[in-house]
Amino acid sequence: MNSKIKIILVAGARPNFMKIAPLIHEMEKYEMFDTLLVHTGQHYDEKMSELFFEQLNIPEPDVNLEVGSASHAVQTARIMERFEKVCIDEKPDAVLVVGDVNSTVACVLVATKLNIKTIHYEAGLRSNDRTMPEEINRVVTDAICDIFFTTSSDADNNLIREGKDPYKIFMTGNLMIDSLINNLNKSKKIKVEIKGNNGEKYKYGENIKSGEYGIMTFHRPSNVDRKDDLEELIEIWGSISERLPLIFPVHPRTLKNIKNFRLTERIKSFSNLIICKPLGYLEFLKLVSGAKFVLTDSGGIQEETTYLNIPCLTLRRNTERPITITEGSNKLVKKNEIIQEINLILNGKGKRGKIPKYWDGKSADRIVEILKSIFIDKWRN
Ligand code: UD1
């Protein structure tokens, strides 16, 4: 009798969910796979987690480790402790992790030490900046993982440079773009109503019009964890908002810092800076696809804007996703360059690009075809 291949898929934080969704849907089509979804609970707010499961139609997690927030060491340790028990009980054939968050590295460490085959989707990205916790997570994950799925050839080159066997590296494209393509039409049809920080209501199509606003996200410690930086940024955001409405769905880390640094009054004083809670996947996608520009420090948004060909300004010194710059519509900027770059965009000179290879909505198919071939012998026996 054929025995199914049991694969644990790990998701922990918001940017993981859109990578897991197309993959789990594709794997579920095949008899040979028995998938088990583990949510580490790194992100737990309704707006950061549950809503994404609902909108992306991800099945309820089979296990939720409910680790919550803590320092990096404590959060990673908690995930490891709880995930080890899951692996021992479930005895999976493989553990598949995505992205670069603490949940990614924690689960790979556990699985590898239990001699379980490990697979990393979004392997090989490097910012070469070890002050970023995500870079440590990427480097450690790839150092011990068995199979690598990548989104671009620069990632393949990084892995080869680090001594990986080229036969274990598969450039299969971008799962986040699978999710984007699968949901773009749906997102266009939904109504978006945002409640601003002063209680005002904004409706897409009425007081927010396609092509006449900007949208931004900020949550990187390097931008929001120090008062001086945040204060300076608020002035820049405020001055942009005097030119056109600027929508700002605020990440919990950033909100906490705004409050702790007593900057709430100042940020609220800009009437066109529309501060709101984190948005659902569909609402955010709709707002990004209709925006004049995006200003961010996120990783994934650099890729989404490249696909949508929307000018994106990324406030970071480096990016692990260089293809969004060499081929896409992304530009790295310093704080003192933001206003001049916004001027260019408002004068119709924003950066445009092309869609990178295999960012075509078929990445999950490619990955699952490869997984089938890797596990086919075991399945037959
Ligand atoms: C994490 C990821 C980052 C990713 C980001 C997207 C790591 C190292 N970082 O950063 O790569 O870009 O998620 O959101 O894994 N919090 C809540 N509710 C939540 C989640 C977090 O209030 O649902 C608060 C907590 O108080 C916590 C802070 O936000 O202290 C930061 O959360 P954490 O998961 O540690 O890191 P992120 O900054 O979200």
Side-chain angles (χ1 to χ4, degrees):
M1 207 184 77
N2 289 340
S3 61
K4 289 196 173 203
I5 305 300
K6 189 186 264 191
I7 301 193
I8 294 186
L9 302 175
V10 177
R14 186 171 61 175
N16 292 164
F17 306 138
M18 37 294 221
K19 297 167 193 167
I20 284 292
L23 200 53
I24 199 160
H25 294 144
E26 187 62 24
M27 287 176 82
E28 281 179 345
K29 291 183 191 161
Y30 297 92
E31 262 291 287
M32 70 182 276
F33 295 118
D34 176 11
T35 55
L36 196 97
L37 181 60
V38 173
H39 188 334
T40 63
Q42 178 176 345
H43 282 176
Y44 45 88
D45 282 356
E46 201 262 333
K47 300 255 183 232
M48 301 287 285
S49 176
E50 222 175 292
L51 189 55
F52 281 72
F53 272 71
E54 207 181 288
Q55 294 192 336
L56 290 162
N57 207 11
I58 308 174
E60 282 271 302
D62 297 284
V63 181
N64 192 326
L65 305 179
E66 293 180 346
V67 297
S69 301
S71 70
H72 281 263
V74 171
Q75 189 175 59
T76 309
R78 262 189 213 153
I79 300 170
M80 287 182 70
E81 203 174 349
R82 296 178 196 180
F83 188 63
E84 184 180 55
K85 187 172 178 328
V86 175
C87 286
I88 290 170
D89 291 348
E90 296 292 339
K91 300 181 185 53
D93 295 289
V95 168
L96 187 150
V97 296
V98 300
D100 57 13
V101 300
N102 290 342
S103 305
T104 312
V105 69
C107 293
V108 156
L109 270 168
V110 168
T112 310
K113 288 200 174 183
L114 292 170
N115 293 322
I116 298 166
K117 206 179 248 320
T118 49
I119 304 163
H120 185 203
Y121 163 75
E122 207 185 75
L125 295 183
R126 297 287 179 270
S127 66
N128 297 311
D129 174 0
R130 296 225 175 155
T131 62
M132 267 181 97
E134 292 79 5
E135 182 70 358
I136 314 287
N137 295 343
R138 293 180 200 115
V139 170
V140 174
T141 300
D142 289 339
I144 56 178
C145 227
D146 297 305
I147 310 279
F148 309 95
F149 289 111
T150 65
T151 52
S152 52
S153 56
D154 55 276
D156 296 21
N157 295 340
N158 291 333
L159 291 169
I160 289 166
R161 202 176 313 120
E162 289 171 16
K164 302 291 174 247
D165 178 351
Y167 289 103
K168 293 185 173 168
I169 304 169
F170 303 94
M171 209 286 263
T172 42
N174 197 320
L175 284 175
M176 202 168 212
I177 303 304
D178 283 20
S179 275
L180 190 158
I181 292 172
N182 294 340
N183 288 286
L184 193 57
N185 278 338
K186 214 197 295 176
S187 85
K188 287 197 169 136
K189 286 183 200 132
I190 62 158
K191 283 199 180 121
V192 176
E193 282 187 25
I194 305 173
K195 208 158 131 215
N197 212 22
N198 296 314
E200 345 67 295
K201 277 200 186 130
Y202 295 92
K203 285 191 185 173
Y204 195 94
E206 290 179 23
N207 48 0
I208 308 173
K209 294 204 176 86
S210 177
E212 296 180 11
Y213 63 90
I215 184 161
M216 66 176 186
T217 75
F218 278 91
H219 73 279
R220 294 258 161 247
S222 57
N223 285 326
V224 304
D225 278 7
R226 281 199 314 267
K227 186 177 180 201
D228 286 0
D229 290 329
L230 201 47
E231 231 170 358
E232 218 182 315
L233 277 176
I234 289 173
E235 296 309 313
I236 295 171
W237 301 335
S239 98
I240 300 171
S241 76
E242 281 159 5
R243 315 268 304 273
L244 82 176
L246 187 55
I247 304 171
F248 184 23
V250 188
H251 187 284
R253 166 192 285 278
T254 312
L255 184 66
K256 211 187 288 174
N257 290 342
I258 291 173
K259 283 185 184 151
N260 289 345
F261 299 148
R262 299 182 189 279
L263 297 171
T264 313
E265 285 314 307
R266 183 61 186 149
I267 199 168
K268 273 188 178 180
S269 71
F270 297 100
S271 57
N272 246 355
L273 186 53
I274 306 167
I275 304 159
C276 60
K277 295 207 166 102
L279 296 166
Y281 180 71
L282 296 174
E283 289 80 0
F284 189 71
L285 185 53
K286 177 166 184 149
L287 286 173
V288 168
S289 57
K292 184 91 179 157
F293 64 84
V294 175
L295 179 58
T296 192
D297 60 8
S298 147
I301 296 170
Q302 298 173 53
E303 298 185 341
E304 291 168 329
T305 47
T306 275
Y307 180 81
L308 295 165
N309 209 6
I310 306 273
C312 177
L313 303 178
T314 301
L315 184 63
R316 282 176 44 185
R317 282 181 301 171
N318 42 54
T319 177
E320 64 288 347
R321 299 160 208 269
I323 199 165
T324 61
I325 294 176
T326 53
E327 296 192 15
S329 57
N330 185 31
K331 243 184 185 182
L332 290 186
V333 289
K334 300 193 182 89
K335 243 185 267 153
N336 61 5
E337 295 168 342
I338 297 176
I339 298 285
Q340 107 202 21
E341 289 295 335
I342 296 285
N343 287 340
L344 282 178
I345 294 168
L346 296 185
N347 290 329
K349 294 186 185 130
K351 187 173 176 204
R352 306 282 175 176
K354 61 173 187 176
I355 297 174
K357 185 178 173 189
Y358 287 169
W359 292 23
D360 58 359
K362 298 192 179 92
S363 296
D365 310 33
R366 288 186 202 100
I367 291 174
V368 173
E369 276 311 304
I370 292 164
L371 290 177
K372 277 161 61 187
S373 67
I374 290 172
F375 290 107
I376 199 98
D377 289 340
K378 176 165 195 268
W379 184 55
R380 282 200 182 118
N381 292 329

